[in-house]
Amino acid sequence: MMVERRVEEPEARMKSESAEAWLQRARELVPVALVKAKEVKCFPGRWKMIISKLEQITSRVSDLSSHPFFSKNPLCKEQLQAVVKTVNDVILSGELCAGERHEGKLRMQSDLDALIGNLDLNLRDCGLLIKTGVLGEATVSVTESSSSSSGSDSSASCNVRELLARLQIGHFESKHKALDRLVEVLYEDEKALLAVLGRSNIAALVQLLTATSPRIREKAVVIISSVVESGTYGNWLVSEGVLPPLIRLLESGSPVGREKALISLKKLSTVAETAREIVGHSGVRPLVEICGTDDSVSQTLSAGALKNLSAVPEVRQELADEGLVRAMIDLLDFGILPRAKESAAECLQNLTCNGDGLKSLVIAEGGFGSLLAYIDGPSPQEPAVSALRNLVDLVSTEALVSQGFLSRAAHVLKSGLVGAKQAAASAICRASASPEMKKLVGEAGCFPLLVNLLEAKPHGAREAAAQAISVLIALPHNGREFKKIAKCVPNLVHLLDPTPQNTAKKYAAASLLILSSGKECRRQMIANGAIGYLKKLTEMDIPGSKKLLEALERGSFRSLFRSHSMRL
């Protein structure tokens, strides 16, 4: 009868007694439990372990009671209640074993194993409360709360800290309840949760991602995705091992869990070192597979994560080996949301920025045609045009013509944003290796568009246009066509500006030197101030500047001589 009273007493008086009272009860019961344990003759190995752990309980409880916040923190009281319950269970089990009144050997062995597990949990949780600072984090004194003008905020912070602390201690059920409440807090006041997170809380959340319960994993990843999106705790999460369980959620999580895992991986993959770890943890294949699903949100998030991975040069071949090229081309062709297509184009741009191997793979998989079709829209995107620029070197003139490359390039120069126009000009320049292609560029109506691009604000766009023109007018027919464009010479002269920011000056000088064979072109160059620019460029050893200056000065001298002769 006495044993039954001891077992039921903690729950009955849980709310009424102080932490000090529970401390005293624990100190009284441990010696009793030790006596009972030492009297047992059966299951000697298990009881030896129980005795060893009981002997540690006393010192752990004493350490807990010496903490400054012992009497103020409800976690201390709850922890002592758990200890008292476990010690009472030891006493009950000891009496059953000593009197040989247990219900079968296997059942008793299982009960003793559970008892050992509870003792381990009590010891671990007491240690966590003492060592990790949880008690200090989860405690705000009544005086502080009542005297502060923002007392409600302090109280809210205290509650969040306590909930976070509960993720680290106690049984699975208590952690589950704390997690439920934290999810509610997340939706009510996300900032309150993020403001009080500590490293130990992060570690506890990551551990819950591997829980056997799918609901627990889902709630944990909901919180973690918000933590990741805050942009503050990424390093902690990665160092605590968040990547492998996030990747596993892609494969076996619920729809909500998978989406939140994707959000987290997309954000974390913006850091190059983390991107390498995602690849190393076999994260590419599930991301690629999700791109082939009909879930538009997941598809878009996955494509965004893969785009981030492809930005790291040393993992690109591994990405291709996992089927990334085919997946991105399929997204360009059949992707549901525009953002998924944009990410696919950026991914292909990254994969093709160097090395002919991956370029050839993209072309072999039909990527060139898919990129051309994609930029046919009303607002061509720079990444897709840049990917085409990376590929044109390996595409024959016949294929460029048959697939409508030049008409698409002209479309971009006419209607794209300036970044896309710059990429289109570079693509035209690279593609114009043969006289035939140079002539076809003119027939596609690109010349006036390139001249207009010489007026763009970004230095890179002006440079790309000037370089393309310098290549195209090497064909005499094209030179004659360019001379007919009113703004051609004035725009090129303005690009002779010797300032360091102007990266187009060498191409402008080369183009003007070719055009200077025409008398009217020389007159326009002189009228727009080319001689002054060229004197400075000659000092800078810009190729072609000295020869062009001499040609213009001769023309200027002859003009002056003729004018003087006429006056005489």
Side-chain angles (χ1 to χ4, degrees):
M1 188 69 182
M2 286 294 293
V3 172
E4 291 179 0
R5 183 185 64 79
R6 283 196 296 268
V7 172
E8 295 176 358
E9 186 179 31
E11 186 173 356
R13 303 180 61 180
M14 183 178 292
K15 296 182 180 180
S16 60
E17 294 194 353
S18 65
E20 286 80 1
W22 285 104
L23 173 65
Q24 183 59 33
R25 181 171 281 99
R27 285 173 169 167
E28 291 173 354
L29 286 176
V30 169
V32 176
L34 279 169
V35 170
K36 294 289 185 184
K38 291 175 181 178
E39 290 176 350
V40 178
K41 303 302 180 184
C42 58
F43 312 109
R46 287 177 171 81
W47 279 102
K48 185 177 180 181
M49 292 179 66
I50 291 171
I51 291 168
S52 173
K53 296 180 188 304
L54 279 173
E55 289 171 343
Q56 298 174 55
I57 287 286
T58 301
S59 62
R60 289 290 174 88
V61 166
S62 296
D63 290 341
L64 187 62
S65 66
S66 65
H67 194 281
F69 295 128
F70 171 73
S71 61
K72 301 174 183 177
N73 195 305
L75 295 175
C76 290
K77 177 179 172 180
E78 291 177 23
Q79 187 55 44
L80 287 169
Q81 290 168 346
V83 168
V84 168
K85 182 180 185 308
T86 302
V87 174
N88 262 315
D89 289 343
V90 171
I91 294 172
L92 175 60
S93 296
E95 291 181 348
L96 290 173
C97 285
E100 297 186 357
R101 292 184 283 118
H102 53 81
E103 298 178 3
K105 182 178 179 180
L106 293 178
R107 173 66 181 274
M108 195 66 226
Q109 286 177 334
S110 176
D111 290 346
L112 292 177
D113 288 339
L115 193 56
I116 292 169
N118 286 337
L119 285 167
D120 278 332
L121 184 64
N122 293 155
L123 290 168
R124 186 189 74 89
D125 288 352
C126 284
L128 279 172
L129 286 172
I130 297 162
K131 294 176 183 178
T132 63
V134 164
L135 291 181
E137 289 178 354
T139 303
V140 176
S141 69
V142 176
T143 304
E144 287 175 338
S145 297
S146 59
S147 63
S148 171
S149 60
S150 59
S152 59
D153 292 339
S154 298
S155 177
S157 297
C158 177
N159 291 337
V160 173
R161 288 189 178 97
E162 182 177 322
L163 289 170
L164 289 168
R166 291 179 185 278
L167 295 182
Q168 303 175 59
I169 63 171
H171 288 277
F172 183 78
E173 293 78 9
S174 64
K175 293 178 181 180
H176 191 174
K177 291 178 182 178
L179 194 60
D180 280 341
R181 179 59 187 134
L182 279 172
V183 171
E184 293 175 7
V185 170
L186 182 68
Y187 292 123
E188 294 167 2
D189 189 357
E190 182 179 357
K191 291 182 179 178
L193 172 59
L194 296 175
V196 298
L197 277 175
R199 179 100 186 220
S200 58
N201 309 135
I202 296 290
L205 283 167
V206 171
Q207 288 176 2
L208 290 174
L209 287 179
T210 60
T212 54
S213 166
R215 291 182 63 245
I216 291 294
R217 295 198 300 270
E218 181 178 304
K219 291 171 187 175
V221 77
V222 165
I223 297 176
I224 283 176
S225 68
S226 292
V227 174
V228 170
E229 287 195 286
S230 73
T232 307
Y233 303 101
N235 290 338
W236 283 1
L237 283 161
V238 173
S239 63
E240 292 295 340
V242 77
L243 296 179
L246 286 177
I247 292 168
R248 299 293 81 77
L249 281 172
L250 300 185
E251 300 168 329
S252 59
S254 65
V256 171
R258 183 174 62 213
E259 180 180 324
K260 296 300 182 180
L262 283 168
I263 291 171
S264 302
L265 288 168
K266 181 185 174 187
K267 178 72 174 180
L268 292 170
S269 62
T270 57
V271 178
E273 183 55 39
T274 304
R276 295 186 194 97
E277 290 194 44
I278 291 171
V279 175
H281 286 297
S282 304
V284 178
R285 180 54 63 94
L287 288 170
V288 167
E289 290 175 352
I290 289 171
C291 285
T293 67
D294 58 1
D295 183 336
S296 61
V297 174
S298 295
Q299 187 184 81
T300 302
L301 290 169
S302 184
L306 288 166
K307 174 202 69 179
N308 295 338
L309 299 183
S310 70
V312 182
E314 56 266 37
V315 304
R316 287 172 185 158
Q317 186 59 55
E318 292 181 66
L319 298 177
D321 293 343
E322 293 289 351
L324 180 64
V325 171
R326 181 70 262 162
M328 294 303 99
I329 293 172
D330 286 344
L331 273 184
L332 279 181
D333 293 338
F334 310 113
I336 301 170
L337 297 179
R339 187 57 199 152
K341 292 174 176 280
E342 291 168 17
S343 293
E346 288 185 63
C347 199
L348 291 174
Q349 177 192 2
N350 290 336
L351 291 176
T352 58
C353 65
N354 49 41
D356 286 351
L358 291 179
K359 292 180 183 179
S360 297
L361 178 60
V362 172
I363 293 171
E365 292 281 359
F368 193 80
S370 294
L371 287 164
L372 284 173
Y374 175 61
I375 66 170
D376 234 0
S379 182
Q381 299 293 318
E382 178 184 350
V385 185
S386 296
L388 287 168
R389 175 201 62 201
N390 297 340
L391 296 172
V392 290
D393 293 345
L394 301 183
V395 181
S396 67
T397 299
E398 293 77 11
L400 291 174
V401 173
S402 64
Q403 296 190 54
F405 165 72
L406 289 176
S407 62
R408 265 61 176 265
H411 167 65
V412 175
L413 288 173
K414 188 180 299 183
S415 60
L417 298 176
V418 68
K421 291 180 179 181
Q422 176 180 334
S426 295
I428 288 171
C429 183
R430 290 191 183 189
S432 302
S434 66
E436 179 188 1
M437 198 65 183
K438 288 181 174 68
K439 185 178 180 181
L440 290 171
V441 171
E443 294 174 355
C446 293
F447 291 171
L449 301 172
L450 288 170
V451 171
N452 289 338
L453 192 56
L454 295 175
E455 300 174 341
K457 288 185 178 180
H459 298 293
R462 295 201 297 266
E463 179 183 5
Q467 184 179 12
I469 290 172
S470 70
V471 169
L472 292 167
I473 62 176
L475 186 70
H477 169 78
N478 287 349
R480 292 191 291 272
E481 293 301 314
F482 265 102
K483 290 177 184 179
K484 298 176 183 178
I485 302 172
K487 295 188 293 182
C488 177
V489 171
N491 284 358
L492 285 169
V493 170
H494 293 155
L495 290 184
L496 295 174
D497 179 5
T499 56
Q501 295 84 359
N502 176 27
T503 55
K505 47 184 172 283
K506 63 179 180 180
Y507 300 116
S511 296
L512 289 169
L513 181 59
I514 295 173
L515 296 174
S516 67
S517 60
K519 179 180 175 181
E520 177 59 24
C521 285
R522 289 198 304 271
R523 187 193 66 76
Q524 289 185 55
M525 293 177 202
I526 294 168
N528 282 278
I531 291 177
Y533 285 134
L534 288 167
K535 286 180 178 179
K536 295 179 181 178
L537 294 186
T538 300
E539 295 174 359
M540 299 168 65
D541 290 329
I542 298 298
S545 59
K546 183 177 180 180
K547 191 173 181 179
L548 178 58
L549 177 61
E550 291 172 351
L552 295 184
E553 286 181 331
R554 282 197 306 271
S556 179
F557 176 76
R558 288 171 184 164
S559 178
L560 179 63
F561 180 78
R562 283 195 299 271
S563 176
H564 180 68
S565 298
M566 290 175 65
R567 285 198 298 270
L568 290 176

